[in-house]
Amino acid sequence: MPHPATPGRCSDTRADPQRRGLIEAAWKLSALATAGAGLLVGASACGGGGGSSSATPAPLATTARAVVLNRTLSSPWGLAFLPDGRMLVTQKSGSMVIVSADGATVSAALSGVPPVASAGQGGLLDVAIDPDFTTDPWVYWSYAESGAGGSGTAVARGRLSGLALTDVQVIFRQLPKVVGNGHFGSRLVFRNDKTLFVTLGERQKGSPAQDLSTHLGKVVRIARDGGVPAGNPNLGATARPEIWSLGHRNPQGAALHPTTGELWLVEHGPQGGDELNRVMAGANHGWPIKSYGCNYGDPVGEACRIGGGTHAPTYAEPVSFWVPTSIAPSGLAFYTGAGFPEWQGNAFLGALAGTALWRIVLNGTAEVSRERLFAGLGERIRCVRQGPDGWLYLLTDSGKLIRVVR
């Protein structure tokens, strides 16, 4: 029988202050060997790495700098660039603002955002703009919504007009709503065919991630109006037709691969076992049956890995994973800019408990090496985006907007 995962815990650590303190203390000790804030400083993998515990450290990029553009945001969560370079930013408590292209000014809160369930890990989450925004300015956002049975992740859209969101429609609701304030996900990624991927946590319930009659622990693919597009996998008569993949725990970062157009995501493991995943139609990523992480309270080591750790052949293996300590990954971007040509095609993800930015060097779909960056900043990095200027932009839980430049 598989070793069952213990629900009710989370790598995000907002809902578990004691665990957050222990994990962040561990990462701060490792950061003592790094240089001060403002420089990119590398460290080799903390175990894991697509099944390897000895990934070769990537070359250091010592000329990169972290420039703080703004430090007045309130628990920012998601960021989307407007065509003119300004940024839409969500703030967890329920407000969405527009930040100027230089980061210096922040607008008043946009009107039209529906009420959010801001508790624990819930609140106003990700934001994305329509692929045809310049002709029809739809903005999409995910958020925790209260309702019968508890709360769940929802997706709404509205047209941006000045500082207002108009014609607001809720286009998706995660079912069922359940009691609890953790593991909502959620990131929004438009596919190249203009359909929308939504990543959904299993709400700290564990086993529903394998139940195709629910949206818990799934990635769904929907049309821009919330309908079910052609091309989703046929997962059986009882499966919800929006489902693209299953067996996820709490995916809080997602991006399209720049070459293949495939969806990749990062998700939180339990005690260790955070994952970088390539997400294919119909794939089962194993949670809570398989994980390279361990149940909470188990002695750290390979013996406690849930279900033995190895996912294949029944479940999809992660591209990369982190053991024995969770980094709590959040935000994901593939770098395609001109500012750092040596980073072309690399994946970048933020770390909350791990307070750093991770660079993953890939060869196709395999990890070659990884590098821990900006550990000296001591920031919980929530969101990672590439800007239209070719630089990376980061949001931190402390309220900072940071641009990574040479």
Side-chain angles (χ1 to χ4, degrees):
M1 293 292 292
H3 187 184
T6 303
R9 301 292 188 100
C10 54
S11 293
D12 184 298
T13 70
R14 284 182 185 271
D16 191 342
Q18 182 179 14
R19 180 171 180 265
R20 171 175 168 176
L22 290 172
I23 292 175
E24 291 185 357
W27 279 115
K28 285 175 182 177
L29 285 173
S30 71
L32 291 176
T34 66
L39 292 178
L40 288 177
V41 184
S44 60
C46 179
S52 166
S53 60
S54 57
T56 304
L60 303 185
T62 54
T63 58
R65 297 177 294 120
V67 178
V68 178
L69 302 181
N70 196 291
R71 59 183 75 241
T72 67
L73 299 167
S74 177
S75 297
W77 216 99
L79 183 156
F81 284 92
L82 295 169
D84 61 6
R86 293 180 301 156
M87 292 159 269
L88 285 168
V89 175
T90 57
Q91 300 184 119
K92 182 179 172 293
S93 62
S95 62
M96 191 183 311
V97 296
I98 298 177
V99 180
S100 61
D102 63 2
T105 61
V106 179
S107 76
L110 305 187
S111 63
V113 177
V116 307
S118 180
Q121 295 170 23
L124 185 57
L125 305 173
D126 207 14
V127 61
I129 66 169
D130 195 281
D132 298 317
F133 181 88
T134 54
T135 57
D136 198 0
W138 286 108
V139 173
Y140 300 74
W141 60 95
S142 59
Y143 62 105
E145 178 191 57
S146 296
S151 59
T153 304
V155 179
R157 70 172 184 170
R159 288 186 172 96
L160 182 63
S161 177
L163 293 180
L165 292 163
T166 65
D167 306 316
V168 172
Q169 311 163 2
V170 179
I171 62 170
F172 174 81
R173 287 185 165 99
Q174 182 185 37
L175 297 174
K177 285 180 165 57
V178 298
V179 174
N181 296 318
H183 292 197
F184 292 90
S186 158
R187 292 292 173 183
L188 305 176
V189 178
F190 274 102
R191 200 175 184 224
N192 292 333
D193 64 3
K194 302 180 183 180
T195 59
L196 180 63
F197 285 122
V198 185
T199 73
L200 301 166
E202 38 75 286
R203 303 291 283 103
Q204 294 182 309
K205 304 304 179 185
S207 60
Q210 294 293 322
D211 182 352
L212 289 167
S213 70
T214 82
H215 293 130
L216 278 62
K218 312 298 192 298
V219 171
V220 297
R221 173 176 169 260
I222 58 175
R224 289 183 280 187
D225 64 358
V228 179
N232 279 356
N234 181 355
L235 298 173
T238 62
R240 294 195 174 273
E242 305 89 358
I243 294 175
W244 183 261
S245 62
L246 66 150
H248 300 287
R249 188 169 184 269
N250 192 25
Q252 289 194 335
L256 290 188
H257 190 282
T259 303
T260 66
E262 296 166 347
L263 180 71
W264 289 47
L265 60 75
V266 289
E267 57 186 292
H268 297 224
Q271 183 177 233
D274 299 336
E275 295 178 355
L276 170 65
N277 282 308
R278 173 179 171 238
V279 183
M280 307 301 289
N284 187 336
H285 290 267
W287 181 257
I289 299 166
K290 296 284 187 177
S291 175
Y292 286 100
C294 300
N295 285 307
Y296 294 94
D298 284 351
V300 172
E302 294 187 14
C304 66
R305 290 178 176 179
I306 295 169
T310 302
H311 292 42
T314 305
Y315 306 100
E317 283 286 351
V319 173
S320 185
F321 59 88
W322 281 257
V323 291
T325 304
S326 294
I327 63 167
S330 185
L332 178 67
F334 287 96
Y335 188 73
T336 61
F340 296 96
E342 67 274 28
W343 287 355
Q344 287 280 331
N346 292 180
F348 288 83
L349 55 115
L352 301 172
T355 59
L357 178 71
W358 284 84
R359 178 169 77 100
I360 310 298
V361 180
L362 300 165
N363 180 9
T365 61
E367 177 185 86
V368 174
S369 61
R370 63 171 69 170
E371 183 183 10
R372 186 172 180 236
L373 311 172
F374 289 122
L377 293 177
E379 295 283 355
R380 289 168 55 88
I381 296 176
R382 175 68 61 176
C383 184
V384 183
R385 292 281 190 261
Q386 182 179 303
D389 55 7
W391 303 121
L392 287 175
Y393 286 73
L394 315 175
L395 292 176
T396 72
D397 279 3
S398 67
K400 295 184 179 67
L401 170 65
I402 295 172
R403 182 166 58 202
V404 178
V405 299
R406 195 178 282 281

